[in-house]
Amino acid sequence: MYEKIALKYIKVPSEEVKKEAIKMSYDALKYIHEPSLEIEILAIRQNERAITYIRELTQEKMAAFLKENLLVVKYMINKIEPKILVDVLKEVLSSEAVDEQYVREFI
């Protein structure tokens, strides 16, 4: 918890500091100004609720988030284009390297 609060007071944290803060808790994302896509994906991978801290959602970002954590769909079901959703699901589920947890969440 103290790490998240400390991040709040660092004016320009390095990418490594941001990663470590996110690894400790996804909600550290709310203290990171202009996070990189990599940082956002790391937070989404940890918990789908991290999407509530992401300010600028594009269709491309939403697709990237869906590839990492299917449960994020409940936070953007009205925002994502159906074709993108279907394409992402086809891509991820047809991959031989698909995570078992992703398939369980899909079912």
Side-chain angles (χ1 to χ4, degrees):
M1 177 174 157
Y2 296 114
E3 295 81 7
K4 293 184 292 187
I5 296 170
L7 183 65
K8 182 177 176 180
Y9 298 106
I10 300 173
K11 290 185 180 183
V12 185
S14 69
E15 194 73 5
E16 195 58 38
V17 169
K18 293 175 187 178
K19 284 181 188 178
E20 290 304 315
I22 294 297
K23 286 178 186 176
M24 285 187 238
S25 176
Y26 75 91
D27 64 344
L29 190 60
K30 67 182 163 187
Y31 300 113
I32 300 174
H33 301 289
E34 299 180 20
S36 65
L37 181 59
E38 182 182 2
I39 295 295
E40 292 173 337
I41 288 174
L42 189 62
I44 293 289
R45 194 177 295 146
Q46 194 176 66
N47 191 311
E48 67 276 3
R49 284 180 282 180
I51 199 166
T52 61
Y53 300 124
I54 297 173
R55 293 167 194 88
E56 297 179 24
L57 277 176
T58 63
Q59 294 295 313
E60 293 78 20
K61 277 187 174 184
M62 288 189 273
F65 299 154
L66 273 170
K67 289 177 185 177
E68 295 299 323
N69 186 342
L70 180 62
L71 297 178
V72 80
V73 75
K74 65 185 169 187
Y75 293 94
M76 60 177 156
I77 194 69
N78 296 325
K79 298 175 187 170
I80 193 163
E81 294 179 22
K83 182 184 181 336
I84 292 176
L85 176 61
V86 170
D87 290 347
V88 167
L89 290 173
K90 282 181 184 177
E91 178 185 338
V92 173
L93 294 172
S94 66
S95 169
E96 289 185 24
V98 66
D99 186 50
E100 181 181 337
Q101 183 66 30
Y102 195 95
V103 174
R104 288 176 190 256
E105 291 166 354
F106 177 73
I107 295 172

